[in-house]
Amino acid sequence: MLVFNQKSELTAFLESQTIEFKSVGFVPTMGALHSGHLSLIQKSLENNDLTVVSIFVNPTQFNNNDDLKKYPRTLESDIEKIKKTNNKVIIYAPSVDDIYNNSVESASFNFDGIENQMEGKHRPGHFDGVGTIVKKLFQIVNPTNAYFGKKDFQQLQIVKKMVAKEKLIVKIIGCEILREQNGLAMSSRNERLSTETREKASLIFQFLRKSKVLFQKKSAQEVSKFVIESFKNINKFDLEYFEICDEEKLLPCLKKNKLKKYRAFIAVNVEGIRLIDNISLTK
Ligand code: PAF
């Protein structure tokens, strides 16, 4: 199992392989791997000659220092999980220095306004941090295909936008959300929930499903009002936002347009942990 900590070694290795291997699949992660990540790796393995997985908790995308400090770091068990999936996967687990040298800073991006909605509104600077790290990783790995989960749907659209604007040659592939048995979207953050809350957190997906049913007959405003009001009565679960937006520009749906695809997006704080999820509202 190859694990590289330095970009110079990884790029030298990848360059030595390009004659034999034509396509490189890439799965960027922040570690604390769960079945959702492993399914992205599986997809990459099925469709590429080589698969690279990065494991790096990127400091510039955290707008809250406490969240960065508490983010789970489980490199040894992550490597074991990948090894069990396939021991030919190449792992890149760099230090902050290897990525940022001495300047741990984000570049500033213009994502045509997508960055100002939802997560961007509530986590200032987050998407500049995501854009910065994803661009750096793409430059190092030079992938043919890169895999992102739809749980972070806004991030997926941001990455697609960056690739188009910067004319990067990589295909971005969005993969379906994997869920725990009770419907909670898989996330590295779930590990930090108490058993009781992790079970109760199934209500997030239940509300998303309910909103999908309601949206067939009601306006986005009516559906949002229902969800926002309902959360006021739920102990411990603090609704940060619930929004119905079009999939392309992520603008709030003011009036339904048959030509657009819509999604409901939600962010909830519980036990000091922030959970996000979304659902397609298109039948
Ligand atoms: O989705 C994530 O885990 C991160 O935002 C990513 C894409 C690995 C960038 O740090």
Side-chain angles (χ1 to χ4, degrees):
M1 181 103 200
L2 287 170
V3 181
F4 294 96
N5 302 119
Q6 292 188 1
K7 59 173 173 270
S8 54
E9 289 172 1
L10 174 69
T11 48
F13 172 79
L14 290 174
E15 274 161 24
S16 75
Q17 301 292 302
T18 44
I19 300 168
E20 213 177 318
F21 298 106
K22 292 190 185 71
S23 60
V24 177
F26 179 45
V27 182
T29 82
M30 297 209 296
L33 302 184
H34 50 67
S35 309
H37 294 114
L38 299 179
S39 76
L40 302 184
I41 296 173
Q42 199 55 52
K43 213 160 240 152
S44 172
L45 284 163
E46 281 160 21
N47 294 296
N48 299 278
D49 299 319
L50 275 182
T51 288
V52 180
V53 176
S54 64
I55 300 178
F56 178 65
V57 181
N58 172 39
T60 62
Q61 71 187 75
F62 286 81
N63 60 317
N64 176 329
N65 237 338
D66 199 42
D67 194 22
L68 171 60
K69 256 201 260 159
K70 287 186 180 151
Y71 201 86
R73 288 159 173 87
T74 54
L75 185 58
E76 289 311 310
S77 78
D78 289 343
I79 293 174
E80 277 312 305
K81 283 179 192 169
I82 295 175
K83 207 175 184 175
K84 273 197 196 139
T85 307
N86 185 307
N87 68 3
K88 294 211 171 72
V89 170
I90 297 146
I91 298 177
Y92 176 45
S95 63
V96 173
D97 266 5
D98 192 55
I99 294 286
Y100 285 103
N101 298 319
N102 292 324
S103 123
V104 187
E105 273 170 27
S106 294
S108 177
F109 290 91
N110 173 355
F111 296 118
D112 293 341
I114 300 180
E115 69 276 27
N116 301 325
Q117 306 301 322
M118 297 179 290
E119 290 299 286
K121 222 184 288 173
H122 293 267
R123 303 182 68 187
H126 171 64
F127 287 124
D128 276 342
V130 170
T132 302
I133 186 61
V134 173
K135 188 174 166 194
K136 280 180 187 286
L137 290 169
F138 282 176
Q139 281 163 345
I140 295 166
V141 177
N142 198 11
T144 321
N145 299 302
Y147 298 81
F148 292 81
K150 287 188 185 171
K151 180 176 77 68
D152 299 292
F153 192 86
Q154 193 173 3
Q155 167 174 279
L156 172 66
Q157 299 304 68
I158 290 271
V159 172
K160 283 184 180 166
K161 180 67 82 178
M162 181 183 75
V163 165
K165 284 201 158 201
E166 309 256 334
K167 300 189 173 54
L168 306 179
I169 305 167
V170 50
K171 188 170 173 199
I172 304 302
I173 296 159
C175 303
E176 289 311 318
I177 302 174
L178 250 71
R179 299 186 177 278
E180 300 190 357
Q181 256 186 356
N182 68 357
L184 176 65
M186 285 192 184
S187 161
S188 305
R189 289 187 163 89
N190 294 354
E191 295 300 319
R192 293 173 50 209
L193 296 170
S194 66
T195 316
E196 187 200 333
T197 303
R198 193 162 173 165
E199 204 37 60
K200 200 174 166 199
S202 61
L203 65 87
I204 297 172
F205 186 48
Q206 285 163 20
F207 272 104
L208 286 178
R209 286 175 55 176
K210 176 94 183 151
S211 68
K212 183 171 178 139
V213 175
L214 289 177
F215 190 65
Q216 307 311 320
K217 293 209 174 106
K218 297 195 180 287
S219 69
Q221 291 77 6
E222 284 168 319
V223 179
S224 301
K225 191 166 176 239
F226 164 75
V227 176
I228 292 165
E229 287 302 317
S230 303
F231 264 88
K232 287 184 182 158
N233 301 319
I234 302 172
N235 212 1
K236 287 208 311 193
F237 285 72
D238 250 351
L239 181 68
E240 191 165 302
Y241 64 77
F242 173 87
E243 289 195 30
I244 293 178
C245 301
D246 72 273
E247 287 195 355
E248 203 197 320
K249 296 192 171 160
L250 298 181
L251 290 172
C253 166
L254 301 176
K255 192 168 183 289
K256 287 184 200 173
N257 177 337
K258 283 206 173 90
L259 301 175
K260 289 185 180 171
K261 287 185 176 169
Y262 294 102
R263 265 183 191 259
F265 296 86
I266 193 165
V268 175
N269 286 293
V270 53
E271 293 181 338
I273 297 147
R274 196 165 176 281
L275 301 172
I276 61 170
D277 200 351
N278 67 80
I279 194 170
S280 161
L281 299 178
T282 312
K283 270 189 247 170

